[in-house]
């Protein structure tokens, strides 16, 4: 029998892929989103499906939906977007977690939190195991996101210990793919859009900082496996692709794969920008039988195709 599943933040980049995956699996999906960074365009193909519902709502306010499972993704994830209204960002993480957990408690649903590698901050342990407690500036410009997500994890574990809520926590490392918005501000979409438009690629800092990029369909598969993992396995579990690249390498790869004549320029490094990030995924391998299968080149090719299409659509619209 199909399950009824709530996805908060379901019109966003990862959420829209998750909704599609769950519909393809035969489930019923309720997507709840305030469309701050998400868009109905991302879920357009699902809107007519009788197993799919969309609710426009803000997770900082209570909500009641009868479901079996809840994926809590609502929260802007790009530094540019989450720093736009930092107070709202922390409110979204904290009140969104409380409202989701209260719902899970009341209707006895299982709930999964989309946490982040940002809980490790600018890590002094490299690569990062789940046991690392992190190195986060509590008062910096990234703190609204990092600390909000850390409090959300705390709330998940307190609801679990205090009220026996059935929780799952995944720590997602940098993920990319289609349905990122062209003005999202994160590095993969920025570089691809700049390359396709023939603009300079903007590296912040010296470009030697690293990230490990996971393709979105791999990530979503890990999330679904985690949601359906054995009773009592709460996580937190890292989900990410351990292949680590510098931003310089990423920029060069994007230029090569797009065949662009764009040049690289250097801009100041934002405050508290983590120097390195790479997940240890042994726990996900053992508990979920999961590891990413898409390498950076394959994932970038697919993402470049997506942005080519989006940008040509935009140009056509402008001409009209
Ligand atoms: P996104 O910005 O594309 O999606 C977030 C979605 O949440 C959007 O649809 C947005 O409209 C919605 N939203 C924001 N505030 C809301 C509110 N108050 N009420 C209801 N909806 C709200 O970002 P994403 O990359 O898809 O990230 C999804 C989740 O995964 C986030 O929780 C993010 O922290 C987490 N995550 C993402 C990454 C990544 O690399 N993409 C890494 C770590 C964690
Ligand atoms: N970055 C960059 N150019 C850009 C956007 C980002 O060099 O146009 C850098 C950013 O400073 C960081 C890395 O790329 O070191 C990843 O940034 P992103 O915003 O994608 O994610 P996060 O910092 O949250 O991992």
């Amino acid at each position: 029998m199909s399950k009824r599943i709530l996805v908060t933040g379901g019109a966003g980049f990862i959420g829209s892929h998750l909704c599609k995956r769950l519909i393809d699996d035969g489930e019923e999906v309720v997507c709840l989103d305030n469309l701050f960074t998400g868009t109905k365009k991302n879920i357009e193909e699902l809107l007519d499906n009788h197993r799919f519902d969309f609710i426009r709502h803000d997770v900082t306010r209570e909500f009641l939906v009868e479901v079996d499972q809840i994926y809590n993704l609502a929260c802007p994830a790009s530094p540019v977007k989450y720093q736009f209204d930092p107070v709202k960002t922390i409110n979204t993480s904290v009140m969104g977690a409380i409202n989701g957990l209260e719902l899970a408690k009341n209707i006895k649903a299982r709930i999964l939190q989309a946490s982040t590698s940002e809980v490790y901050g600018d890590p002094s342990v490299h690569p990062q195991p789940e046991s690392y407690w992190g190195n986060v500036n509590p008062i910096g410009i990234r703190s609204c996101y990092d600390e909000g997500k850390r409090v959300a994890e705390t709330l998940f574990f307190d609801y679990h210990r205090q009220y026996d809520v059935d929780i799952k926590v995944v720590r997602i490392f940098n993920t990319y793919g289609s349905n990122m918005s062209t003005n999202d501000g994160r590095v993969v979409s920025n570089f691809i859009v700049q390359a396709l438009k023939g603009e300079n690629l903007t590296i912040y800092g010296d470009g030697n900082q690293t990230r490990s990029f996971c393709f979105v369909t791999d990530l979503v598969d890990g999330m679904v496996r985690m949601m359906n993992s054995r009773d009592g396995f709460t996580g937190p579990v890292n989900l990410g692709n351990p292949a680590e690249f510098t931003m310089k390498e990423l920029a060069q790869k994007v230029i090569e794969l797009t065949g662009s004549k764009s040049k690289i320029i250097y801009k100041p490094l934002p405050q508290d920008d983590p120097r390195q990030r790479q997940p240890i995924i042994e726990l996900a391998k053992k508990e979920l039988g999961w590891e990413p299968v898409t390498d950076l080149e394959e994932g970038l090719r697919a993402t470049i195709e997506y942005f080519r299409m989006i940008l040509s659509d935009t140009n056509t619209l402008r001409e009209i």
Side-chain angles (χ1 to χ4, degrees):
M1 217 180 77
S2 68
K3 293 187 282 293
R4 236 171 106 70
I5 303 177
L6 173 65
V7 180
T8 76
F13 157 51
I14 296 175
S16 57
H17 283 273
L18 177 61
C19 288
K20 177 158 185 344
R21 160 68 192 264
L22 295 172
I23 288 290
D24 288 347
D25 286 350
E27 315 289 15
E28 288 178 43
V29 175
V30 182
C31 165
L32 183 149
D33 202 298
N34 71 350
L35 302 182
F36 170 46
T37 50
T39 159
K40 274 196 178 176
K41 189 107 189 102
N42 284 344
I43 47 168
E44 201 173 24
E45 62 182 303
L46 304 175
L47 289 170
D48 287 340
N49 192 306
H50 68 281
R51 284 184 286 110
F52 183 82
D53 284 318
F54 173 75
I55 302 173
R56 187 165 183 163
H57 183 79
D58 193 307
V59 292
T60 59
R61 297 183 185 275
E62 277 177 47
F63 43 94
L64 173 60
V65 193
E66 293 283 344
V67 289
D68 306 301
Q69 298 182 336
I70 304 166
Y71 288 86
N72 186 37
L73 276 71
C75 186
S78 156
V80 179
K81 305 288 176 179
Y82 70 63
Q83 286 165 22
F84 170 74
D85 185 348
V87 173
K88 174 75 188 189
T89 299
I90 196 159
N91 202 15
T92 294
S93 265
V94 175
M95 288 314 300
I98 291 177
N99 288 329
L101 286 160
E102 280 295 320
L103 176 64
K105 182 177 88 170
N106 293 335
I107 63 171
K108 298 203 182 328
R110 178 174 276 192
I111 181 166
L112 179 146
Q113 168 68 356
S115 189
T116 167
S117 56
E118 292 288 328
V119 301
Y120 302 125
D122 187 5
S124 47
V125 171
H126 190 75
Q128 294 80 51
E130 289 86 353
S131 55
Y132 178 49
W133 289 357
N135 176 34
V136 176
N137 176 359
I139 56 168
I141 54 171
R142 294 175 82 99
S143 316
C144 59
Y145 183 74
D146 299 10
E147 298 289 18
K149 288 284 185 177
R150 285 169 67 97
V151 173
E153 284 200 13
T154 308
L155 284 162
F156 267 67
F157 280 86
D158 281 334
Y159 268 77
H160 178 61
R161 283 184 288 257
Q162 199 171 335
Y163 302 117
D164 204 24
V165 172
D166 187 4
I167 63 155
K168 303 277 173 187
V169 176
V170 295
R171 292 182 177 156
I172 302 169
F173 284 64
N174 296 63
T175 299
Y176 69 99
S178 59
N179 293 3
M180 297 182 93
S181 77
T182 48
N183 70 353
D184 178 271
R186 281 176 278 187
V187 69
V188 175
S189 47
N190 269 12
F191 284 178
I192 293 178
V193 169
Q194 289 162 343
L196 291 177
K197 286 183 168 175
E199 295 169 359
N200 294 327
L201 272 66
T202 52
I203 288 185
Y204 303 158
D206 61 11
N208 291 322
Q209 72 270 38
T210 68
R211 294 293 187 272
S212 304
F213 296 102
C214 188
F215 191 57
V216 64
T217 48
D218 284 342
L219 188 267
V220 163
D221 186 53
M223 293 178 83
V224 174
R225 282 172 189 250
M226 180 58 174
M227 176 60 104
N228 298 300
S229 63
R230 66 174 171 85
D231 287 348
F233 178 60
T234 57
V237 62
N238 288 340
L239 293 182
N241 190 325
E244 185 184 10
F245 296 88
T246 65
M247 294 312 100
K248 226 187 256 172
E249 287 169 331
L250 178 71
Q252 280 154 357
K253 194 112 215 105
V254 168
I255 288 177
E256 177 198 318
L257 294 176
T258 51
S260 171
K261 295 198 169 53
S262 295
K263 301 272 173 288
I264 292 173
I265 57 165
Y266 291 86
K267 292 198 161 182
L269 189 68
Q271 192 198 326
D272 294 338
D273 200 278
R275 275 165 296 129
Q276 51 185 4
R277 202 180 283 148
Q278 182 186 32
I280 292 179
I281 60 165
E282 297 315 305
L283 186 61
K285 281 187 190 167
K286 179 171 154 272
E287 284 288 343
L288 313 177
W290 177 86
E291 63 182 311
V293 294
T294 315
D295 68 19
L296 185 67
E297 181 156 333
E298 189 186 348
L300 282 179
R301 281 187 198 282
T303 312
I304 288 166
E305 276 327 296
Y306 168 78
F307 279 109
R308 250 192 235 288
M309 186 187 74
I310 290 292
L311 292 175
S312 70
D313 278 2
T314 318
N315 289 339
T316 318
L317 282 177
R318 274 210 202 99
E319 280 161 23
I320 292 167

